[in-house]
Each structure stands twice: as C-alpha cells, then as structure tokens.
Amino acid sequence: MAKQANSGDLEINPSSLLSVLQDLHSKYKSLQEGAVANYIPELAKVNPDLFSICIVTVDGQVYEVGDYQQLFTIQSISKVFAYGLALEDHGRDYVLTRVGVEPTGDAFNSIILDEQSKRPYNPMVNAGAIATTSLIKGTGATERLNRVLDMFHRYTGHDVFVDISVFTSERSTGHRNRAMAHLMLNFGMIDQNIEQALDLYFQQCAVIVNCHDLAVMAATLANKGVNPITGKRAVDHQYIKDILSVMYTCGMYNFAGEWAYTVGIPAKSGVCGGILAVVPNQMGIGVFSPPLDARGNSVRGVEVCKELSQQLCLHMFACGGGSSKIESGE
Ligand code: GLN
C-alpha cells in the first residue's frame, strides 16, 4: 500500500501502486450501476463490462490494469486538447472573446449562452467546445482535420484515426449540437461555415484512443506539455494553466464542484466512459468504463478516482498539495 512518509509527503512504491490499481479494479468491476450512452446510436453497441485503469508518471513509468488496450472514441475528452490548439492559434485574449471560463452547473449538452456576452460558458461543455473547434486554423476542412490529428499524435505519441461509423452516427443524429451552432452563429460567436465546424467537432470526438493513451495524454499535461514517453512537446507551456484551470472548474460538467471537493484534481470525462485526470508535476490518470451516471460521467471511473485521490493523497489542497512521489524503479 501507499505509505505516508512524513507530514504531507507521500512516497509510493511502484509495485504497491500496481497493487493499488489491481485492488481498485477488482473492487469496482462488479459495480453494475449506470448505463452506456445511446443518444449516439453507434456508442450504444459498447460492452458495458470493459474496465481499465492506467497511470503514467511524468518520468514515464506506466501502471495499468484491465482492458487498457481496448479502443474507444475519445468524445468530450477531446475538448481539452482542442482548447489548447485554439489557444496556440489565437492567444488567450482572443479565445476569451469567443468562449468563457465559467462553469455552467448545467448538463454538458445544454443549449445556453451567457446572457450578456452571448459567449458559451466554457470550452468543456458542448456549446463552448463547438465554438473552440471553429477557431482551429487551416485553409480547408482537410487541413484543419490534419492539424487536429497531428495534435493528438503529439499527445499520444502515435498516429490516431477517426472512427468513421461513430463520426457519421453522430453527424446524422447530432441535432442538439447543430442547434447550438446555429444559436452561436446568430450571435456571431462562430463565423466560419458551421457545417464544417460541426464536422470537425464530431471528428475530434470520434478520434480512437485507449485507456493507456488517456493516461499518457494526461501525463503530458502534468509534465508541462511535454509527452513523458516521447520527450516531445505537445502544447505550449504557457497554456497549461489555462487548460488545467478549466478542467478543474468545468471538466466534470454539473458534477464539477463535487469532483473538485472530493477528488481535487483537474479532470475531463466523456460519454465514451473515459475519465482523464491530471496531477500536476506528478502523473496522468486514465480510467475507462462505459456505463455513465445521470450527468454523463463514468460510474466506475468516478469511484476509482475518488479512492485513488484518497489513497495516494492527490487532492490539490490536501497532503501538501499533490506532493505524492512515486519512487523510480522497482
Ligand atoms: N460527441 C459528444 C457530443 O457532442 C460528446 C459529449 C460528451 O462526451 N459528453 O454530444
């Protein structure tokens, strides 16, 4: 087990960390609550028993259990990375004119804009994410998609692809997202061709990853933007604070406050059943389990993260502020 070394500083033995993950996996695999997302018809086909947990540290150690190679579409977790790219393309001040940083307290797919500014509330909910994606630069749809795929390559360390069935499934049924895009077009928050913006948004959501990838991507954010496995920079260091701040306050939708209170680390979930969580300067965490609660967060994922935070003392405002250390080597 993880052991408390001295006040507020936790030394975690690597073999103990793997057994912490194994214990959590066997404890929660029998938890049968929640339901897989079915509003995108293709997502309803997923096996609800799939379950994996993965941790990657900023010095590149990997700990993983369960179905960590199982592929799935990244869905809303993509919003984190698209936000980083929009910030790199336009800078903080301009992006703030198009999308705010205020939690909504509402569901991820609410059709709401800030009354005064007409901006979507934040880049972690659908409306804000569609506005963010519409900012990604490129001379045409193909170039913009390639820039998004290149970005995911930097974070994962390998080529990534769009799941065409999931993309077309969402494109043909995503009327709510289309309604949000039209509303934002009306208020001048989106100015390019909205069908192109929506296509790119649906494509980024349909990018294929596994749980291991989630943890590597999270570890890249934890490591100030440098992928700890490839050693290559994925995003400009100056935007890490913007990305992690909106993850912390808005990443878990209308559960964001309770998450910040109990788990206490920046995170993002998606209707695929993935949760990506970042312990700055320490590690990235990925959990995958498709059944969702009423707010669209993975049921097992939330429980695992709550326990991991407690056992490893990861909460930003406890135990010296995320000062857990994993000893290198076995
Ligand atoms: N593609 C999904 C949508 O736009 C993503 C939602 C999510 O993962 N919360 O509805």
Side-chain angles (χ1 to χ4, degrees):
M1 289 296 289
K3 63 181 186 333
Q4 189 84 39
N6 45 50
S7 62
D9 202 358
L10 200 71
E11 296 287 333
I12 304 158
N13 177 292
S15 57
S16 312
L17 182 53
L18 189 59
S19 68
V20 168
L21 299 191
Q22 283 161 342
D23 289 350
L24 286 174
H25 191 270
S26 48
K27 176 169 175 188
Y28 287 108
K29 73 172 181 240
S30 53
L31 180 61
Q32 294 298 336
E33 287 162 28
V36 304
N38 59 9
Y39 73 99
I40 301 172
E42 213 40 39
L43 292 186
K45 299 179 181 167
V46 72
N47 173 0
D49 296 329
L50 292 167
F51 182 26
S52 47
I53 313 169
C54 182
I55 286 182
V56 173
T57 64
V58 292
D59 58 359
Q61 299 168 64
V62 179
Y63 305 89
E64 45 202 7
V65 294
D67 308 298
Y68 55 84
Q69 290 182 322
Q70 172 67 42
L71 300 174
F72 54 89
T73 56
I74 190 166
Q75 297 302 330
S76 273
I77 299 170
S78 65
K79 292 167 179 169
V80 168
F81 305 99
Y83 185 51
L85 191 55
L87 286 166
E88 288 184 315
D89 278 358
H90 297 275
R92 186 173 293 133
D93 292 344
Y94 183 74
V95 173
L96 274 173
T97 65
R98 294 302 182 97
V99 54
V101 289
E102 211 56 60
T104 61
D106 281 308
F108 66 87
N109 57 1
S110 299
I111 307 180
I112 44 164
L113 300 178
D114 181 86
E115 287 255 316
Q116 275 178 354
S117 67
K118 309 299 183 202
R119 290 179 307 181
Y121 276 85
N122 69 71
M124 301 291 111
V125 293
N126 288 10
I130 295 165
T132 302
T133 295
S134 79
L135 295 175
I136 291 171
K137 285 186 177 167
T139 49
T142 309
E143 188 179 320
R144 277 193 278 274
L145 175 60
N146 284 337
R147 291 194 67 237
V148 168
L149 296 177
D150 286 349
M151 170 198 76
F152 280 117
H153 186 135
R154 294 193 294 277
Y155 281 102
T156 60
H158 59 77
D159 283 342
V160 297
F161 302 93
V162 171
D163 183 321
I164 300 298
S165 325
V166 174
F167 164 55
T168 51
S169 181
E170 184 163 20
R171 185 201 225 179
S172 56
T173 56
H175 308 303
R176 238 189 128 86
N177 285 329
R178 200 159 271 114
M180 286 172 212
H182 279 279
L183 189 64
M184 292 188 288
L185 181 65
N186 176 62
F187 288 117
M189 286 296 137
I190 293 190
D191 42 30
Q192 63 158 290
N193 177 325
I194 58 170
E195 283 306 321
Q196 257 189 36
L198 282 164
D199 272 0
L200 186 57
Y201 170 75
F202 295 144
Q203 284 163 332
Q204 79 177 44
C205 289
V207 160
I208 302 167
V209 292
N210 60 27
C211 190
H212 171 89
D213 292 329
L214 291 187
V216 173
M217 296 167 91
T220 301
L221 295 174
N223 195 34
K224 305 182 176 75
V226 174
N227 182 319
I229 307 294
T230 64
K232 297 203 176 123
R233 176 161 293 286
V235 61
D236 190 333
H237 181 183
Q238 67 169 310
Y239 297 121
I240 293 292
K241 103 175 186 342
D242 307 62
I243 296 169
L244 294 182
S245 300
V246 292
M247 285 172 73
Y248 193 68
T249 53
C250 314
M252 301 298 284
Y253 314 122
N254 40 342
F255 185 64
E258 203 175 321
W259 174 276
Y261 187 80
T262 52
V263 183
I265 51 176
K268 183 77 195 80
S269 68
V271 291
C272 50
I275 296 181
L276 173 153
V278 179
V279 187
N281 306 314
Q282 302 289 328
M283 66 181 91
I285 302 168
V287 188
F288 171 61
S289 166
L292 308 176
D293 61 22
R295 284 130 156 178
N297 297 319
S298 166
V299 174
R300 293 191 192 112
V302 168
E303 292 310 316
V304 165
C305 290
K306 275 186 186 165
E307 272 210 40
L308 261 182
S309 173
Q310 264 189 346
Q311 289 194 34
L312 305 183
C313 210
L314 303 179
H315 197 295
M316 308 233 315
F317 309 121
C319 312
S323 59
S324 313
K325 295 260 183 312
I326 295 168
E327 297 160 7
S328 41
E330 294 290 317

